[in-house]
Amino acid sequence: MGDLTAAFSSMGPTAKAAFLANIAHFATIAARESYAPSDAHPNRDYHHPDAIILRDANNFVHRVTGYIPHVLYKSEGHGQDASVMAMVLEYFQERGIERHLAGWLERANTPC
């Protein structure tokens, strides 16, 4: 966790925003577990249809995207990077998808 937070905190605003955008995008993909079959899509095999999964995903995406303006305007408070990274790591670990984080940090910090 400390290595991820240190890497995130050392990045510039654009790289941080790009990393957070990747996080938010991937969270919307993970949230698809919450879908239930419908008349329009009766043959979809959803593993765990659950409104709580969708609510939690929406809250997570809300918090991540809410931090992007702070990053871009450089208005982060003391300790906010660590708090956001702890939230991100917990969310991704709970879903077994934390393996993506280090690569996204590296890619976001690579100049175009």
Side-chain angles (χ1 to χ4, degrees):
M1 164 64 185
D3 291 344
L4 290 175
T5 299
F8 179 71
S9 292
S10 71
M11 295 164 67
T14 303
K16 280 184 174 181
F19 173 75
L20 293 171
N22 278 331
I23 295 294
H25 177 256
F26 205 80
T28 66
I29 294 168
R32 292 177 181 166
E33 286 185 23
S34 67
Y35 295 174
S38 66
D39 290 340
H41 303 285
N43 298 322
R44 298 274 168 93
D45 182 24
Y46 295 108
H47 303 292
H48 307 286
D50 190 335
I52 294 171
I53 293 171
L54 186 58
R55 183 205 62 209
D56 290 347
N58 184 52
N59 185 50
F60 178 76
V61 170
H62 171 80
R63 292 178 68 195
V64 169
T65 59
Y67 194 54
I68 293 173
H70 290 288
V71 164
L72 293 172
Y73 297 128
K74 299 180 183 177
S75 62
E76 303 105 314
H78 178 73
Q80 276 188 298
D81 279 356
S83 175
V84 167
M85 286 304 294
M87 175 191 66
V88 166
L89 187 58
E90 178 182 344
Y91 187 85
F92 274 59
Q93 284 177 332
E94 287 174 355
R95 286 148 188 84
I97 55 177
E98 70 274 11
R99 65 189 176 278
H100 299 288
L101 297 175
W104 291 344
L105 279 168
E106 186 176 319
R107 186 173 71 203
N109 210 22
T110 303
C112 297

